């Protein structure tokens, strides 16, 4: 049994660096769990690509001779609005969200530089590449309309979607129910959306299990309320119960005849479907 600390999930993808360094070589299965508002053996974590966009214009006095300037803030605003218009043609499972990190210096100076940061998400890497092209066209057209130069730089690592493993999920749910865990329905799982994680990349190289678990609070993730709930004594019970269910699942993989081969076969089939080598059922 190997215990790996995997930092930097939210910025840069620490697990991807660990994959490249060989940290997952020779492992049979990999488990981790993530806190949430419900219990699920699997949620459809999606693929993610982040992008930084920089517009370069020309500064000028905004009142005396604005016509001498090239407004980089106009480019940033147009890009943001282009994406808002694009949403009508986006699939319901696609997500685009971002911020303007730098919008200028002073109101009486035509901004010569602006910077945006966006996250793009889609259920698969194939969909993500289509979405990325559409979004980059929105950025480029804003530069063309305003006369700015644009620099588009993708993140160092893309996050892959988490591949499901039904054999592992089935055993984990059986163990979780023995400990009193109540799981959401399959319909909720299939129709639900989640975030993105560098654990998705791990599931492309080794069979993985990435359940979500309730921590005794209905607060939403990435809020101050959830931070407080996650650090409470009440949450420790739920975290330990989830850890026990994972440990029981690991023991099943080790000792149940044939289970590991079932897990490996699920992994092979799902990965083949994802890579487009066979048609989905």
């Amino acid at each position: 049994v190997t215990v790996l600390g995997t930092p930097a999930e939210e910025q840069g993808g620490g697990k991807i660096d660990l994959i490249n360094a060989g940290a997952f070589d020779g492992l049979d299965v990999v488990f981790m769990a993530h806190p949430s508002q419900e219990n699920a053996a699997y949620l459809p974590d999606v693929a993610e690509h982040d992008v930084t966009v920089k517009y370069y214009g020309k500064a000028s006095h905004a009142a005396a001779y604005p016509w001498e300037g090239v407004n980089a803030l106009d480019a940033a605003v147009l890009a943001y609005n282009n994406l808002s218009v694009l949403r009508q043609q986006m699939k319901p499972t696609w997500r685009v969200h971002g911020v303007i990190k730098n919008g200028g210096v002073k109101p009486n100076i035509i901004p010569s530089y602006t910077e945006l940061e966006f996250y793009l998400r889609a259920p698969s890497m194939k969909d993500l590449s289509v979405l990325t092209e559409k979004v980059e066209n929105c950025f480029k057209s804003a530069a063309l309309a305003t006369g700015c130069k644009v620099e588009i730089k993708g993140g160092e690592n893309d996050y892959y979607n988490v591949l499901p493993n039904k054999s592992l999920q089935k055993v984990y749910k059986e163990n979780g129910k023995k400990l009193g865990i109540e799981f959401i329905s399959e319909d909720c799982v299939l129709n639900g959306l989640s975030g993105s994680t560098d654990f998705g990349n791990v599931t492309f190289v080794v069979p993985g299990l990435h359940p979500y678990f309730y921590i005794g609070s209905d607060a939403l993730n990435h809020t101050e309320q959830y931070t407080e709930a996650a650090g409470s004594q009440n949450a420790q019970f739920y975290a330990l119960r989830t850890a026990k269910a994972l440990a029981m699942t690991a023991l099943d993989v080790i000792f149940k005849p044939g289970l590991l081969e079932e897990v490996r076969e699920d992994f092979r089939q799902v990965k083949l479907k994802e890579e487009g080598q066979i048609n989905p059922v």
Side-chain angles (χ1 to χ4, degrees), residues 232-269:
S232 70
Q233 188 60 39
N234 187 42
Q236 303 312 304
F237 164 78
Y238 297 102
L240 287 172
R241 183 173 66 171
T242 299
K244 290 177 182 177
L246 287 175
M248 293 164 68
T249 304
L251 289 172
D252 285 335
V253 171
I254 294 170
F255 292 111
K256 279 191 174 180
L259 177 56
L260 181 56
E261 187 49 45
E262 291 177 17
V263 169
R264 287 171 172 164
E265 182 60 24
D266 282 352
F267 171 71
R268 284 191 289 265
Q269 293 298 323

Side-chain angles (χ1 to χ4, degrees), residues 75-278:
V77 171
L78 280 177
Y80 198 96
N81 288 332
N82 286 345
L83 293 174
S84 295
V85 173
L86 176 66
R87 294 183 196 282
Q88 185 181 13
Q89 273 70 51
M90 282 170 48
K91 294 181 180 180
T93 51
W94 291 0
R95 295 289 184 271
V96 175
H97 40 94
V99 295
I100 299 176
K101 296 181 68 175
N102 188 322
V105 179
K106 297 285 287 184
N108 65 336
I109 303 173
I110 297 292
S112 62
Y113 172 79
T114 53
E115 182 177 339
L116 304 90
E117 185 175 0
F118 273 82
Y119 289 176
L120 322 179
R121 306 183 197 250
S124 67
M125 293 303 295
K126 182 179 179 181
D127 256 15
L128 184 61
S129 66
V130 175
L131 175 60
T132 298
E133 182 180 1
K134 292 178 181 292
V135 168
E136 289 187 351
N137 285 337
C138 289
F139 295 139
K140 292 174 184 176
S141 62
L144 180 64
T146 57
C148 291
K149 294 181 180 179
V150 62
E151 178 184 310
I152 303 172
K153 185 178 181 181
E156 185 175 347
N157 295 309
D158 286 344
Y159 289 7
Y160 294 1
N161 47 300
V162 173
L163 298 182
N165 191 289
K166 292 187 176 181
S167 294
L168 284 177
Q169 292 162 207
K170 179 176 180 291
V171 175
Y172 174 76
K173 287 181 71 172
E174 290 171 353
N175 288 321
K177 289 176 180 178
K178 293 175 184 176
L179 298 172
I181 298 177
E182 297 181 1
F183 293 94
I184 61 174
S185 68
E186 287 300 312
D187 286 343
C188 290
V189 170
L190 293 174
N191 296 321
L193 282 174
S194 189
S196 305
T197 170
D198 54 4
F199 189 82
N201 301 64
V202 178
T203 65
F204 274 73
V205 298
V206 61
L209 178 67
H210 186 272
Y212 282 82
F213 65 98
Y214 176 68
I215 64 167
S217 171
D218 293 328
L220 298 178
N221 293 57
H222 292 208
T223 64
E224 292 180 7
Q225 294 80 6
Y226 202 82
T227 300
E228 182 178 349
S232 70
Q233 188 60 39
N234 187 42
Q236 303 312 304
F237 164 78
Y238 297 102
L240 287 172
R241 183 173 66 171
T242 299
K244 290 177 182 177
L246 287 175
M248 293 164 68
T249 304
L251 289 172
D252 285 335
V253 171
I254 294 170
F255 292 111
K256 279 191 174 180
L259 177 56
L260 181 56
E261 187 49 45
E262 291 177 17
V263 169
R264 287 171 172 164
E265 182 60 24
D266 282 352
F267 171 71
R268 284 191 289 265
Q269 293 298 323
V270 171
K271 191 174 178 183
L272 281 172
K273 289 180 182 179
E274 187 68 25
E275 293 173 346
Q277 297 179 35
I278 61 175

Side-chain angles (χ1 to χ4, degrees), residues 24-56:
F24 296 96
D25 293 352
L27 299 183
D28 294 301
V29 293
V30 177
F31 297 165
M32 72 165 284
H34 194 292
S36 183
Q37 294 79 45
E38 64 270 314
N39 293 297
Y42 166 80
L43 286 177
D45 286 286
V46 296
E48 188 269 341
H49 171 74
D50 58 75
V51 59
T52 298
V53 182
K54 299 177 181 179
Y55 289 106
Y56 299 93

